[in-house]
Amino acid sequence: MRSYFLPRVVPLAVLLLASLSAQAAPMPFYKWQSKLDGAYTCQQTSPGNGWQKIGGPFRDAGCREALPQTPPPKGLAVPKVLKGQ
Protein backbone atom coordinates (compact mmCIF):
# COMPACT_ATOMS: atom_id res chain seq x y z
CA MET A 1 0.00 0.00 0.00
CA ARG A 2 2.82 2.37 0.80
CA SER A 3 4.42 2.17 -2.65
CA TYR A 4 1.06 2.93 -4.31
CA PHE A 5 0.15 5.92 -2.13
CA LEU A 6 3.42 7.88 -1.99
CA PRO A 7 4.15 8.32 -5.73
CA ARG A 8 0.69 9.84 -6.24
CA VAL A 9 0.58 12.18 -3.24
CA VAL A 10 4.04 13.77 -3.45
CA PRO A 11 3.61 15.30 -6.94
CA LEU A 12 0.19 16.66 -5.99
CA ALA A 13 1.57 18.22 -2.81
CA VAL A 14 4.43 19.85 -4.75
CA LEU A 15 1.98 21.18 -7.35
CA LEU A 16 -0.27 22.64 -4.65
CA LEU A 17 2.62 24.39 -2.88
CA ALA A 18 3.93 25.79 -6.17
CA SER A 19 0.53 27.19 -7.14
CA LEU A 20 0.07 28.87 -3.74
CA SER A 21 3.44 30.59 -3.87
CA ALA A 22 2.80 31.86 -7.42
CA GLN A 23 -0.22 33.85 -6.22
CA ALA A 24 1.63 35.81 -3.54
CA ALA A 25 1.70 39.61 -3.86
CA PRO A 26 3.54 42.28 -1.86
CA MET A 27 1.67 43.84 1.04
CA PRO A 28 0.22 47.29 0.20
CA PHE A 29 1.19 50.55 1.91
CA TYR A 30 -1.24 52.85 3.74
CA LYS A 31 -1.08 56.52 4.70
CA TRP A 32 -1.26 57.15 8.46
CA GLN A 33 -1.77 60.41 10.40
CA SER A 34 -0.68 61.04 13.97
CA LYS A 35 -3.46 61.89 16.42
CA LEU A 36 -0.92 63.81 18.51
CA ASP A 37 0.63 66.31 16.09
CA GLY A 38 -0.93 65.58 12.66
CA ALA A 39 2.29 64.19 11.13
CA TYR A 40 1.97 61.77 8.18
CA THR A 41 3.75 58.50 7.45
CA CYS A 42 3.40 55.75 4.84
CA GLN A 43 3.75 52.20 6.16
CA GLN A 44 2.45 48.70 5.57
CA THR A 45 1.33 48.21 9.17
CA SER A 46 0.03 50.52 11.87
CA PRO A 47 2.74 52.61 13.58
CA GLY A 48 0.85 52.27 16.88
CA ASN A 49 -2.19 53.34 18.88
CA GLY A 50 -1.72 57.07 18.28
CA TRP A 51 -2.15 56.80 14.50
CA GLN A 52 -5.18 56.52 12.24
CA LYS A 53 -5.32 55.21 8.67
CA ILE A 54 -6.32 57.98 6.25
CA GLY A 55 -5.56 56.53 2.82
CA GLY A 56 -4.60 53.54 0.79
CA PRO A 57 -3.85 51.00 -0.42
CA PHE A 58 -0.76 52.23 -2.28
CA ARG A 59 1.81 50.36 -4.36
CA ASP A 60 4.91 52.35 -3.29
CA ALA A 61 6.50 53.34 0.04
CA GLY A 62 5.88 57.04 -0.68
CA CYS A 63 2.10 56.52 -0.89
CA ARG A 64 2.01 58.11 -4.36
CA GLU A 65 0.80 55.30 -6.64
CA ALA A 66 -2.63 53.93 -5.70
CA LEU A 67 -3.42 50.27 -6.23
CA PRO A 68 -6.42 49.59 -8.45
CA GLN A 69 -9.48 48.37 -6.58
CA THR A 70 -10.07 44.85 -7.86
CA PRO A 71 -12.54 42.31 -6.53
CA PRO A 72 -11.08 39.31 -4.71
CA PRO A 73 -10.62 36.09 -6.71
CA LYS A 74 -13.70 33.87 -6.86
CA GLY A 75 -12.01 30.48 -6.59
CA LEU A 76 -8.85 28.47 -6.66
CA ALA A 77 -7.05 28.40 -9.99
CA VAL A 78 -6.73 24.90 -11.46
CA PRO A 79 -3.71 24.20 -13.68
CA LYS A 80 -4.54 23.32 -17.30
CA VAL A 81 -2.80 19.97 -16.87
CA LEU A 82 -5.37 18.89 -14.29
CA LYS A 83 -8.41 20.30 -16.15
CA GLY A 84 -8.05 17.75 -18.94
CA GLN A 85 -8.18 14.74 -16.62
Side-chain angles (χ1 to χ4, degrees):
M1 169 127 177
R2 183 180 177 133
S3 63
Y4 176 78
F5 181 71
L6 209 55
R8 294 181 185 271
V9 172
V10 172
L12 289 175
V14 169
L15 183 63
L16 177 65
L17 290 174
S19 67
L20 291 176
S21 65
Q23 295 178 9
M27 190 171 167
F29 290 88
Y30 293 92
K31 197 169 196 177
W32 301 86
Q33 184 176 20
S34 171
K35 294 178 184 177
L36 181 64
D37 63 0
Y40 295 101
T41 186
C42 184
Q43 295 186 12
Q44 292 175 321
T45 59
S46 173
N49 292 334
W51 295 81
Q52 64 184 13
K53 189 187 312 182
I54 60 168
F58 295 97
R59 185 175 308 214
D60 62 329
C63 288
R64 288 181 229 102
E65 189 177 337
L67 281 174
Q69 298 296 325
T70 57
K74 296 191 181 208
L76 183 64
V78 179
K80 291 180 182 177
V81 175
L82 295 178
K83 282 186 179 179
Q85 293 180 354

